[in-house]
Amino acid sequence: MNGLTTDEAQRKLKEFGPNQVSDVAVHPIRQAFSKFWAPVPWMLEAAITLEVVLGKYAEATIIGSLLVFNAVLGFFQEGRAQATLAALKSRLALNASVHRDGVWSIVQTAELVPGDVVKLSVGAVVPADARLTQGEILLDQSMLTGESIPIEAGPDFQACAGALVRRGEAIAEVTATGARTKFGRTAELVRTAHVTSSQQKAVLRVVRNLGMVNGVLIVLMVVYSIFLKFSVAEIIPLVLTAVLASIPVALPATFTLAAAIGARKLAGLGILPTRLSAVDEAASIDVLCVDKTGTLTGNQLTVDAVSPMPGFDDAHVLGLASLASSDGGQDPVDAAVRIAASASKPPATDLPTLKKFIPFDSATKMSEAIVTKINEGDISVVKGAYSAVVGLSGFTKPSDDTFAMANKLESQGLRVLAVACGPKTSLKLVGMIALSDPPRSDSADLISELHGLGVRTIMVTGDASVTAKIVASKVGLNGAVFSEGAIPDHVRPEDFSVYAGVLPEGKYNLVKAFQKNGNTVGMCGDGANDAPALRQAQMGIAVSTATDVAKSAAGIVLTKPGLVGIVASIKEGRIIFSAYLYVRVEFDQ
């Protein structure tokens, strides 16, 4: 645990660079000019040039105003990518406790280098990717992996930058910094994510088709003019006018106006479009990738089932378990047990009195309470992993049926706790508590309605395949489960209904793979781990409880609880698109 010297750290800092997300901000002036250098602006600029050549300065001014309007709108929309990166940076630790020159000191996180030895304490944010060497901690990596339950981390565990220490203390050696961390790669994906909007594709298709038809007509017109022996001075204005007629200068503005009207209506339904193009995309998506934790589920552990032993009931099992649970801490398991115990109807009224609480020890995988009961003296109440509790010395071995029940609960993707009480030399099992992160009440109905709208829904989660499959079956996603590493480029939406064990880069690659197949993809998520995919998808959707990172990366933010806003967005988008088509047909006629 000697760590580095100051000189070694300085040399490595020059070699690896600072431990921070790269600042890739474009100068505002350069960014503004880039709005005039793209296919749609080229079309309007060509129209302006032709109008000036023909001496129609008023028309040129009007088209120029449309060009500036669309450029200004795009300029402000593009700023959201920088807002996402800024939100990501805010999730990183500012300072870290580092062992250098034989002493512990506090340094800025940006100065960390591979090889540094850092201390991870409760409430701290892991400052860089690091391998634990000493100690045990409860680590919440949901912001990167999407896992709803913090994990127990001990020696040799690889912790990721940005993770939060919920409990305990550990020593770790930094293995990667800056852009080389998993967090840094996530930020880079957010920066580079880009997809051409359906609106821009539609405009270009119209221009292409008109150009082909008018090109043939112009050639015929020129040939006919030559046949009639027109002079060159007469032919040139005729050709320029015909070319100008093939450029639909009002089309981009028409799309923008229709989207603005739709955005205003959606806002009244509790749906906030942060990019106007998202309103158009809502009408055309045919695949929706949905994160599990915090999106299909509530991202809150709850007691799913209680299995009391003979002589006890649910209320007593939960009551005793609550005595061996921390009050007001950051452990979600203890919080879930306490909430369930307080909600028991009727509550247990003859519980012993708590004398001493011993917090959860990751080495024993248990917490303990010393309690007093009238006429019985002091006894112990222990709560922890089933295998750890029943393996205690002096524990009265439960029946084979109890083992079978515990295995059955675990096979359903539930986290099983055992609760025991009695003198330390003769503890007896009181009961078992199974916890889960259940689906939202509206998730199954949402998926069913999306299916009726022709949108295929796919779960994409960082959680294990067993848990993912169980949640998927509860919400009506009963297809195949993919959990075999890297996402293949050729994958199709109909191949799998669930993608498990997927990290941010995998979600991003899945969205791109579907887009390569010609699908219009929506992505719904709530965490920083979803940000790259939210940026890449044609329609990125952040739920109301999403992090600031997810909201700034998404094109649509749901401002009300639940997921019904997704269906409303698609329906409203299709109504707007249908009305737009009707107006265009009437105009063309």
Side-chain angles (χ1 to χ4, degrees), residues 214-273:
N214 281 10
V216 174
L217 293 176
I218 290 171
V219 170
L220 294 175
M221 189 166 47
V222 170
V223 172
Y224 186 64
S225 298
I226 294 173
F227 175 76
L228 294 177
K229 298 182 180 180
F230 280 19
S231 65
V232 174
E234 292 174 316
I235 294 176
I236 290 177
L238 188 63
V239 171
L240 292 179
T241 302
V243 171
L244 184 61
S246 68
I247 302 175
V249 294
L251 190 60
T254 305
F255 268 112
T256 301
L257 181 60
I261 295 172
R264 184 174 181 179
K265 188 169 183 180
L266 287 174
L269 300 174
I271 304 159
L272 177 63

Side-chain angles (χ1 to χ4, degrees), residues 356-412:
K356 181 182 179 181
F357 171 67
I358 303 172
F360 181 89
D361 184 347
S362 56
T364 62
K365 299 187 182 302
M366 289 181 293
S367 59
E368 183 179 358
I370 307 300
V371 299
T372 298
K373 198 166 185 178
I374 299 175
N375 300 326
E376 292 187 21
D378 292 351
I379 59 174
S380 293
V381 177
V382 295
K383 170 181 68 67
Y386 179 83
S387 59
V389 172
V390 300
L392 288 171
S393 60
F395 190 90
T396 303
K397 184 178 179 181
S399 66
D400 291 339
D401 291 340
T402 304
F403 278 104
M405 184 183 300
N407 290 332
K408 181 180 179 180
L409 292 172
E410 289 178 345
S411 68
Q412 295 173 356

Side-chain angles (χ1 to χ4, degrees), residues 97 156 362 461:
S97 179
D156 293 327
S362 56
T461 177

Side-chain angles (χ1 to χ4, degrees), residues 65 99 324 403:
S65 300
H99 197 263
F403 278 104

